[in-house]
Amino acid sequence: MKYPIGIQSFESLRNDGYVYVDKTALVYKLADTGRYYFLSRPRRFGKSLLISTLEAYFSGKKELFDGLAIEELEKDWKEYPILHLDLNTAKYDSAEALLNVLNDSLANWETAYGTSPTEVTPELRFKGIIRRAYEQTGQRVVILVDEYDKPMLQSIGNEALQDEYRNILKAFYSVLKTQDRYIRFAFLTGVT
């Protein structure tokens, strides 16, 4: 038996023959009964693997779920547009570092769903991307955010930087409320 120590990719875990404790009935229940979730757990509790599992599910990758509980529960296996933001990817020592990570994700999503010259801030760009993803695919958007609070945690003790991060992220995440009609599911993880 191969144990998935440090494996955070559901697709890799399934394709490479690692042991998987089947939690897919719970994944289905989350997706079927609600739309917005926040999960706070300490590091190394499987949050990133859960995000990856949700991404595979909402991508309609039925073959990855062969033999798992969700295979019997899900009948439609639709593919949704997915916006996955992983804030684990940088050292946040300035507001510019956070904006760089946001801009990188936004630029990738804009490649897929287009842009507008009036969308000049991260929150306006995010708002436009969500709307266009829905309009182009006919499916509401799935938003997955891993480690939403990493910039805040890395700036503990620097109140001015924390205020900057708070203002940037508050505006960015407020889009989830304003674009509710276009969102199928949103799942955010963090440690605080």
Side-chain angles (χ1 to χ4, degrees), residues 14 20 53 76 78 83 102 131 175 177 181 189 191:
R14 295 291 288 165
Y20 177 69
T53 306
D76 293 334
K78 292 181 186 175
L83 305 178
L102 293 177
R131 180 183 47 77
V175 171
K177 181 178 179 184
R181 66 188 170 273
T189 72
V191 298

Side-chain angles (χ1 to χ4, degrees), residues 59-191:
S59 294
K61 294 183 176 181
K62 182 179 180 179
E63 69 281 359
L64 293 176
F65 296 91
D66 285 347
L68 300 178
I70 202 168
E71 182 181 32
E72 299 298 318
L73 299 169
E74 182 58 71
K75 304 302 179 209
D76 293 334
W77 291 99
K78 292 181 186 175
E79 182 178 352
Y80 295 89
I82 297 171
L83 305 178
H84 181 174
L85 175 64
D86 187 351
L87 291 179
N88 240 336
T89 60
K91 179 180 180 194
Y92 298 100
D93 52 7
S94 68
E96 184 180 350
L98 173 57
L99 290 171
N100 288 341
V101 170
L102 293 177
N103 283 328
D104 181 59
S105 289
L106 291 164
N108 287 329
W109 300 334
E110 286 167 338
T111 298
Y113 301 112
T115 186
S116 169
T118 61
E119 298 166 1
V120 295
T121 63
E123 58 271 15
L124 288 176
R125 291 169 69 195
F126 190 35
K127 178 182 171 195
I129 290 163
I130 292 169
R131 180 183 47 77
R132 284 189 299 277
Y134 169 76
E135 290 171 350
Q136 290 173 24
T137 65
Q139 296 292 337
R140 290 185 295 161
V141 178
V142 171
I143 298 168
L144 305 172
V145 180
D146 203 3
E147 300 261 355
Y148 90 98
D149 55 351
K150 182 118 185 225
M152 299 298 293
L153 291 173
Q154 286 189 355
S155 62
I156 289 176
N158 184 339
E159 216 169 298
L161 189 54
Q162 282 209 323
D163 285 342
E164 282 187 80
Y165 289 159
R166 194 174 294 111
N167 290 333
I168 293 167
L169 292 173
K170 182 178 179 184
F172 190 78
Y173 293 135
S174 71
V175 171
L176 297 177
K177 181 178 179 184
T178 66
Q179 297 303 96
D180 179 64
R181 66 188 170 273
Y182 303 124
I183 297 173
R184 161 66 177 87
F185 186 85
F187 193 87
L188 290 79
T189 72
V191 298

Side-chain angles (χ1 to χ4, degrees), residues 20-86:
Y20 177 69
V21 177
D22 188 0
K23 299 176 282 289
T24 61
L26 296 172
V27 167
Y28 178 81
K29 186 175 180 180
L30 283 172
D32 190 50
T33 60
R35 288 184 45 203
Y36 293 93
Y37 293 96
F38 168 69
L39 178 65
S40 177
R41 290 290 182 271
R43 297 205 186 290
R44 315 292 349 137
F45 264 68
K47 297 181 300 294
S48 296
L49 178 58
L50 179 56
I51 290 266
S52 179
T53 306
L54 288 164
E55 187 168 7
Y57 170 66
F58 282 112
S59 294
K61 294 183 176 181
K62 182 179 180 179
E63 69 281 359
L64 293 176
F65 296 91
D66 285 347
L68 300 178
I70 202 168
E71 182 181 32
E72 299 298 318
L73 299 169
E74 182 58 71
K75 304 302 179 209
D76 293 334
W77 291 99
K78 292 181 186 175
E79 182 178 352
Y80 295 89
I82 297 171
L83 305 178
H84 181 174
L85 175 64
D86 187 351

